[in-house]
Amino acid sequence: VKAGEAVDEQIRALCEVLQRDDIIIDAGNANFHDTVRRDAELQDSGLRLIGMGISGGEEGARHGPSIMVGGPESSYKRVEKVLTAIAAKYKGEPCCAWMGNDGAGHFVKMIHNGIEYADMQMIAEIYGIMRDGLGMKAQEISKVFAKWNGGQLKSYLIEITGIVLAAQDGRHALVDKVLDRAGQKGTGKWSVIEAQDLSVAATTMESAVAARILSSMKDERKKAAKAYAIRLAKLKVKSRPAMLKQLEGALYAAKVCAYAQGFAVLSKASAEHQWNLPLATIASIWREGCIIRSQFLDKITVAFAKDSGAPNLLLTSYFRKAMRDNHAALRAMVAEAARGGLAVPALAAALTYFDSYRTANGTANLIQAQRDFFGAHTYERVDKPGVFHGGWS
Ligand code: 6PG
């Protein structure tokens, strides 16, 4: 049943025929606020609701998806056997777990999709650098992704990118015939809205959603392309293999930042909604079955299990090393893309997030001074405690 009003209608119809303690499972991409409301509305009837996030697309439907369950734990216990049996398995472990009460399962699925948006956007930007910056053909780029799928980027999305880029339509690559206008059904946008409401910086997801919005403005972009047909510098490429190596490292570093943001949203939401979301478990049930499944998620599982007190993925020991090893590549590629006028919004967002996050002395002192100047918003000082105002004239 499609998320939205149709679910409410279906629940109303089911209420007529179900009995106390029966369980309704909503396995669509519901907005978690609706799940929280529906859970509350069903309380008096004695019916129980499970809001269940499912990921995996058509293949997951046939061979086992990743399942994120929300609702009373006692309800989960009653359906656990069925769900773990149909779930995808990672080395024999079912990719299915109880996330928390009411909307927890749908919230976790929403953030899965937010991360999916960021992942896909960053892959598309790297493809753009190869296509427009290095002048590579789809077939050649396909081979690069296929090769990367044997390394630290190994994942479903990298694998299918290689496959998609290899597909031919007559004498042309099929991907070259696809209109550059991406659709969206809402879960990415919801992730960004929730991140903002929770005061979590989720800039890679934001830029991925914004990129889809800009992609839809094809006619306007064509006009702007004519208005700004400016000659820009060619990418500085000393050796293509070296550049491709840097692109691989850049994508990896950006991916770390995107996942750090996604998990930061989950962590804040967990406290806000008292869900007690199990971060390491979430990473573990995303290792198979779902769209963002990857080897990388196994590293996150281990990192969170090992450094459970770390406030951000970037502060776990494994990913500290990963960022030390790869941030220079991301920096170099974002700089090259900017020089060459290639749009890399999500890669740039990842890099600026990393740089902002690791800056102990930022520039918000000036913002606070401006706020105090024009609006008497007061400020704190670094040299003495208290709240201050004025001193500017
Ligand atoms: C999944 C997918 C699935 C769906 C997305 C696509 O995890 O199986 O994420 O839920 O394909 O909703 O989202 P957009 O249509 O917004 O790209």
Side-chain angles (χ1 to χ4, degrees), residues 29 54-57 109 112-113 116-117 183-188 212 291:
N29 270 336
I54 297 255
S55 176
K109 173 66 207 311
H112 165 284
N113 280 27
E116 174 185 304
Y117 270 57
Q184 50 176 322
K185 292 205 284 284
T187 44
R212 288 206 195 182
I291 303 296

Side-chain angles (χ1 to χ4, degrees), residues 325-387:
D325 292 347
N326 292 286
H327 80 96
L330 177 58
R331 211 171 284 295
M333 291 304 97
V334 169
E336 265 315 286
R339 264 181 13 91
L342 300 173
V344 289
L347 296 174
L351 178 62
T352 38
Y353 173 73
F354 175 64
D355 281 337
S356 305
Y357 189 64
R358 57 167 205 90
T359 298
N361 264 327
T363 53
N365 51 331
L366 181 60
I367 307 284
Q368 200 55 21
Q370 290 165 331
R371 291 181 74 239
D372 187 58
F373 185 93
F374 67 63
H377 293 294
T378 74
Y379 56 92
E380 290 171 281
R381 297 180 60 115
V382 292
D383 55 352
K384 50 187 172 190
V387 177

Side-chain angles (χ1 to χ4, degrees), residues 29-291:
N29 270 336
N31 185 306
F32 87 100
H33 289 295
D34 285 338
T35 310
V36 171
R37 169 182 56 78
R38 288 171 187 141
D39 179 74
E41 284 169 1
L42 283 175
Q43 288 300 319
D44 287 346
S45 67
L47 293 179
R48 294 156 171 244
L49 180 68
I50 284 184
M52 192 163 91
I54 297 255
S55 176
E58 292 170 1
E59 205 184 300
R62 297 192 59 217
H63 305 293
S66 168
I67 306 178
M68 297 143 255
V69 187
E73 193 176 11
S74 55
S75 302
Y76 175 60
K77 288 284 165 219
R78 281 171 52 198
V79 291
E80 185 177 6
K81 261 195 183 160
V82 180
L83 297 180
T84 51
I86 62 163
K89 308 286 180 306
Y90 179 85
K91 295 187 179 161
E93 275 177 57
C95 293
C96 169
W98 180 66
M99 302 284 103
N101 285 328
D102 51 59
H106 279 142
F107 190 95
V108 172
K109 173 66 207 311
M110 176 190 73
I111 295 302
H112 165 284
N113 280 27
I115 294 173
E116 174 185 304
Y117 270 57
D119 245 343
M120 291 168 73
Q121 177 62 28
M122 294 185 310
I123 292 172
E125 290 171 16
I126 294 284
Y127 152 73
I129 294 177
M130 287 193 246
R131 185 189 67 181
D132 303 328
L134 303 179
M136 292 169 67
K137 298 264 172 278
Q139 285 287 346
E140 290 177 280
I141 305 175
S142 158
K143 289 194 185 112
V144 175
F145 279 104
K147 184 169 168 230
W148 288 355
N149 200 41
Q152 61 182 1
L153 287 169
K154 185 174 170 52
S155 61
Y156 173 70
L157 283 171
I158 293 289
E159 182 192 344
I160 65 159
T161 303
I163 295 171
V164 162
L165 285 164
Q168 290 289 116
D169 179 42
R171 285 191 296 117
H172 300 277
L174 179 55
V175 73
D176 291 338
K177 299 285 170 208
V178 177
L179 186 66
D180 60 333
R181 189 189 270 164
Q184 50 176 322
K185 292 205 284 284
T187 44
K189 182 179 82 176
W190 295 346
S191 300
V192 172
I193 292 171
E194 291 309 323
Q196 295 263 349
D197 275 346
L198 290 162
S199 295
V200 179
T203 52
T204 52
M205 295 179 204
E206 282 170 21
S207 53
V209 173
R212 288 206 195 182
I213 294 170
L214 277 161
S215 84
S216 70
M217 300 160 61
K218 178 75 173 173
D219 294 339
E220 223 174 302
R221 284 191 289 117
K222 276 191 191 153
K223 285 190 191 120
K226 272 203 189 119
Y228 291 102
I230 40 187
R231 196 186 287 272
L232 284 158
K234 282 224 154 52
L235 297 202
K236 276 193 219 144
V237 188
K238 277 201 206 107
S239 102
R240 187 182 275 185
M243 177 94 172
L244 293 177
K245 191 92 211 117
Q246 273 195 316
L247 282 175
E248 186 181 9
L251 184 53
Y252 188 79
K255 197 172 160 84
V256 174
C257 295
Y259 281 69
Q261 294 181 346
F263 278 95
V265 180
L266 290 175
S267 165
K268 194 77 185 286
S270 178
E272 180 79 16
H273 299 284
Q274 284 147 27
W275 282 328
N276 209 7
L277 294 177
L279 298 189
T281 303
I282 292 171
S284 78
I285 63 167
W286 287 348
R287 289 179 300 187
E288 262 308 332
C290 66
I291 303 296

